[in-house]
Amino acid sequence: MEWLRCGHHVHVVSTCTQSRAACRMLYYLLLRAVSTQQLAGVSPNKLHFLQHDFFVPEGSKKALDDFVKAATKGSLYVLADEAQWIVDINIFCDEVLRQVPLLHLWAASYFFKNTPAGWQVECLTRPLRSPPAVVREVEQDASFVRDGAVQSVH
């Protein structure tokens, strides 16, 4: 919301089919907030939804092209969910930064080990809306336990 209040175009980016629902929800929640709050100078036309699939061979290239086209005056404001699906997030972000020097990126991922070097990391350590039974089931998931890619909340 702060980026929108400052008059920037904000791009909500879905990185794969698994992130579509969450990204669309975020997009519509932001759109509704902009519309209902009717903040001075904040236009719903400044909020954009981009859909990509980084699993397909040309997914990263298409996303990079879209990011470069979306940048205004060398700056770009992006919210990306499920960023762990970007095959090599380090290479991708380095290339975006090379072409869009004023990149403002907020990316969510449940895999904390894939964070590019030098990035600020905030780990959420408390489930926000999950009942204890759901949390216990998730903590028993073999992929979380096996590779340790998801930080434990204990």
Side-chain angles (χ1 to χ4, degrees):
M1 285 301 297
E2 187 62 31
W3 291 345
L4 289 167
R5 280 189 195 103
C6 292
H8 302 293
H9 285 266
V10 175
H11 303 271
V12 177
V13 178
S14 172
T15 61
C16 61
T17 56
Q18 292 89 335
S19 73
R20 297 280 191 280
C23 288
R24 284 210 181 272
M25 175 71 87
L26 175 60
Y27 171 78
Y28 286 113
L29 286 172
L30 288 170
L31 192 59
R32 187 174 70 189
V34 166
S35 299
T36 59
Q37 292 179 12
Q38 297 177 348
L39 301 170
V42 178
S43 168
N45 297 335
K46 294 211 173 201
L47 185 62
H48 312 277
F49 182 80
L50 298 174
Q51 188 168 297
H52 291 285
D53 191 347
F54 283 86
F55 283 128
V56 298
E58 293 297 312
S60 293
K61 181 169 180 358
K62 171 86 170 85
L64 178 63
D65 291 345
D66 284 354
F67 282 17
V68 171
K69 287 177 192 168
T72 54
K73 298 180 183 172
S75 67
L76 182 64
Y77 293 78
V78 176
L79 300 170
D81 189 33
E82 303 293 350
Q84 74 272 8
W85 299 119
I86 299 174
V87 175
D88 192 332
I89 194 168
N90 292 301
I91 293 171
F92 178 77
C93 289
D94 286 347
E95 186 58 28
V96 173
L97 278 169
R98 192 178 68 70
Q99 296 189 44
V100 183
L102 300 174
L103 174 65
H104 305 268
L105 172 63
W106 183 93
S109 172
Y110 56 85
F111 291 110
F112 73 98
K113 290 184 177 180
N114 295 348
T115 306
W119 282 32
Q120 178 182 340
V121 176
E122 297 287 334
C123 292
L124 302 177
T125 57
R126 185 171 52 106
L128 300 178
R129 293 195 175 118
S130 297
V134 172
V135 173
R136 284 191 299 274
E137 287 297 317
V138 168
E139 289 174 339
Q140 293 177 30
D141 184 282
S143 64
F144 293 169
V145 175
R146 181 184 62 241
D147 62 16
V150 178
Q151 190 171 16
S152 174
V153 294
H154 301 293

